[in-house]
Coordinates of all heavy atoms in Angstrom, one line a residue:
L5 N 18.0 78.7 43.4 CA 17.0 77.8 44.0 C 17.7 76.5 44.6 O 17.5 76.1 45.7 CB 16.0 77.4 43.0 CG 15.0 78.5 42.6 CD1 14.1 78.0 41.4 CD2 14.1 78.8 43.8
H6 N 18.6 76.0 43.8 CA 19.4 74.8 44.2 C 20.2 75.1 45.4 O 20.2 74.3 46.3 CB 20.2 74.3 43.0 CG 20.9 73.0 43.3 ND1 20.3 71.8 43.5 CD2 22.3 72.8 43.5 CE1 21.2 70.9 43.7 NE2 22.4 71.5 43.8
A7 N 20.9 76.2 45.4 CA 21.8 76.5 46.5 C 21.0 76.7 47.8 O 21.4 76.3 48.9 CB 22.6 77.8 46.2
L8 N 19.8 77.4 47.7 CA 19.0 77.6 48.8 C 18.5 76.3 49.4 O 18.4 76.1 50.6 CB 17.8 78.5 48.5 CG 18.1 80.0 48.4 CD1 17.0 80.8 47.7 CD2 18.5 80.6 49.7
K9 N 18.1 75.4 48.5 CA 17.6 74.1 48.9 C 18.6 73.3 49.7 O 18.3 72.6 50.6 CB 17.0 73.3 47.7 CG 16.2 72.1 48.2 CD 15.3 71.7 47.1 CE 14.3 70.7 47.7 NZ 13.3 70.2 46.8
L10 N 19.9 73.5 49.3 CA 21.0 72.8 50.0 C 21.4 73.4 51.3 O 21.8 72.7 52.2 CB 22.2 72.7 49.1 CG 22.0 71.8 47.8 CD1 23.3 71.9 47.0 CD2 21.7 70.4 48.2
S11 N 21.2 74.8 51.4 CA 21.8 75.4 52.5 C 20.8 76.1 53.5 O 21.2 76.5 54.6 CB 22.7 76.6 52.0 OG 22.0 77.5 51.4
D12 N 19.5 76.2 53.2 CA 18.6 76.9 54.0 C 17.4 76.0 54.4 O 16.6 75.7 53.5 CB 18.1 78.1 53.2 CG 17.4 79.1 54.1 OD1 16.4 78.7 54.8 OD2 17.6 80.3 54.0
A13 N 17.3 75.7 55.6 CA 16.2 74.8 56.1 C 14.8 75.4 55.9 O 13.9 74.8 55.6 CB 16.4 74.4 57.6
H14 N 14.8 76.8 56.1 CA 13.5 77.4 55.9 C 13.0 77.4 54.5 O 11.9 77.1 54.2 CB 13.6 78.9 56.4 CG 12.3 79.7 56.2 ND1 11.1 79.4 56.8 CD2 12.0 80.7 55.4 CE1 10.2 80.2 56.4 NE2 10.7 81.0 55.6
F15 N 14.0 77.6 53.6 CA 13.7 77.5 52.1 C 13.2 76.0 51.8 O 12.3 75.9 51.0 CB 14.9 77.8 51.3 CG 14.6 77.7 49.8 CD1 13.9 78.8 49.1 CD2 14.9 76.6 49.1 CE1 13.6 78.7 47.8 CE2 14.5 76.5 47.7 CZ 13.9 77.5 47.1
R16 N 13.9 75.0 52.3 CA 13.5 73.6 52.1 C 12.0 73.4 52.5 O 11.2 72.8 51.8 CB 14.4 72.7 52.8 CG 15.7 72.4 52.0 CD 16.4 71.2 52.6 NE 16.8 71.4 54.0 CZ 17.9 72.0 54.4 NH1 18.7 72.6 53.6 NH2 18.1 72.0 55.7
K17 N 11.7 74.0 53.7 CA 10.3 73.9 54.2 C 9.3 74.5 53.2 O 8.3 74.0 52.9 CB 10.2 74.5 55.6 CG 8.9 74.3 56.3 CD 8.9 74.8 57.7 CE 7.5 74.7 58.3 NZ 7.5 75.3 59.6
L18 N 9.7 75.7 52.8 CA 8.8 76.4 51.8 C 8.7 75.6 50.5 O 7.6 75.5 50.0 CB 9.4 77.8 51.5 CG 9.2 78.9 52.6 CD1 10.0 80.1 52.2 CD2 7.8 79.2 52.9
S19 N 9.8 75.1 50.0 CA 9.8 74.4 48.8 C 8.9 73.1 48.9 O 8.1 72.8 48.0 CB 11.3 74.0 48.4 OG 11.3 73.2 47.3
D20 N 9.1 72.4 50.0 CA 8.2 71.2 50.3 C 6.8 71.6 50.3 O 5.9 70.9 49.8 CB 8.7 70.5 51.5 CG 10.0 69.9 51.4 OD1 10.6 69.7 50.3 OD2 10.6 69.5 52.5
A21 N 6.5 72.7 51.0 CA 5.1 73.1 51.1 C 4.5 73.5 49.8 O 3.4 73.2 49.4 CB 5.0 74.3 52.1
Y22 N 5.3 74.2 49.0 CA 4.9 74.6 47.6 C 4.6 73.3 46.8 O 3.5 73.3 46.2 CB 6.0 75.4 46.9 CG 5.6 75.7 45.5 CD1 4.8 76.9 45.3 CD2 6.0 75.0 44.4 CE1 4.4 77.2 44.0 CE2 5.6 75.3 43.1 CZ 4.8 76.4 42.9 OH 4.4 76.7 41.6
Y23 N 5.4 72.3 46.8 CA 5.2 71.1 46.0 C 4.0 70.3 46.5 O 3.2 69.8 45.7 CB 6.4 70.2 46.0 CG 7.5 70.8 45.1 CD1 8.7 71.3 45.6 CD2 7.3 70.9 43.7 CE1 9.6 71.8 44.7 CE2 8.2 71.5 42.9 CZ 9.4 71.9 43.4 OH 10.3 72.5 42.6
E24 N 3.8 70.3 47.8 CA 2.6 69.6 48.4 C 1.3 70.3 48.0 O 0.3 69.7 47.6 CB 2.7 69.5 49.9 CG 3.7 68.5 50.4 CD 3.5 67.1 49.8 OE1 2.3 66.6 49.8 OE2 4.4 66.4 49.3
L25 N 1.3 71.6 48.1 CA 0.2 72.4 47.7 C -0.1 72.3 46.2 O -1.2 72.1 45.7 CB 0.3 73.9 48.0 CG 0.2 74.2 49.5 CD1 0.8 75.6 49.8 CD2 -1.2 74.2 50.0
D26 N 1.0 72.3 45.4 CA 0.8 72.2 43.9 C 0.3 70.8 43.6 O -0.6 70.7 42.7 CB 2.2 72.5 43.3 CG 2.0 72.6 41.8 OD1 1.2 73.5 41.3 OD2 2.6 71.8 41.0
K27 N 0.7 69.8 44.3 CA 0.3 68.5 44.0 C -1.2 68.3 44.3 O -2.0 67.8 43.6 CB 1.1 67.4 44.8 CG 0.7 66.0 44.5 CD 1.7 65.0 45.1 CE 1.7 65.1 46.6 NZ 2.5 64.0 47.2
A28 N -1.6 68.9 45.5 CA -3.1 68.9 45.8 C -3.9 69.6 44.8 O -5.0 69.2 44.5 CB -3.2 69.5 47.2
I29 N -3.4 70.8 44.4 CA -4.2 71.6 43.4 C -4.3 70.8 42.1 O -5.4 70.7 41.5 CB -3.5 72.9 43.2 CG1 -3.7 73.8 44.4 CG2 -4.0 73.6 41.9 CD1 -2.8 75.0 44.5
H30 N -3.2 70.2 41.6 CA -3.2 69.4 40.4 C -4.2 68.3 40.5 O -5.0 68.0 39.6 CB -1.8 68.9 40.1 CG -1.7 68.1 38.9 ND1 -1.8 68.6 37.6 CD2 -1.5 66.8 38.7 CE1 -1.7 67.7 36.7 NE2 -1.5 66.5 37.4
R31 N -4.2 67.6 41.6 CA -5.1 66.4 41.8 C -6.6 66.9 41.8 O -7.4 66.2 41.2 CB -4.8 65.7 43.1 CG -3.4 65.0 43.0 CD -3.1 64.3 44.3 NE -4.0 63.3 44.7 CZ -4.0 62.0 44.2 NH1 -3.1 61.7 43.4 NH2 -4.9 61.1 44.7

């Protein structure tokens, strides 16, 4: 996960989307 976040822009976009969705769900 860490390596993908550092090296793959698409993964970073997915990761950011996941955290935003998770934050909205939690709220």
Side-chain angles (χ1 to χ4, degrees):
L5 290 170
H6 182 70
L8 284 168
K9 193 158 189 175
L10 293 176
S11 65
D12 190 313
H14 178 64
F15 180 83
R16 279 192 302 275
K17 185 177 177 182
L18 287 173
S19 177
D20 291 345
Y22 179 84
Y23 286 113
E24 288 302 315
L25 287 163
D26 192 59
K27 183 169 63 172
I29 291 166
H30 179 71
R31 292 176 63 81

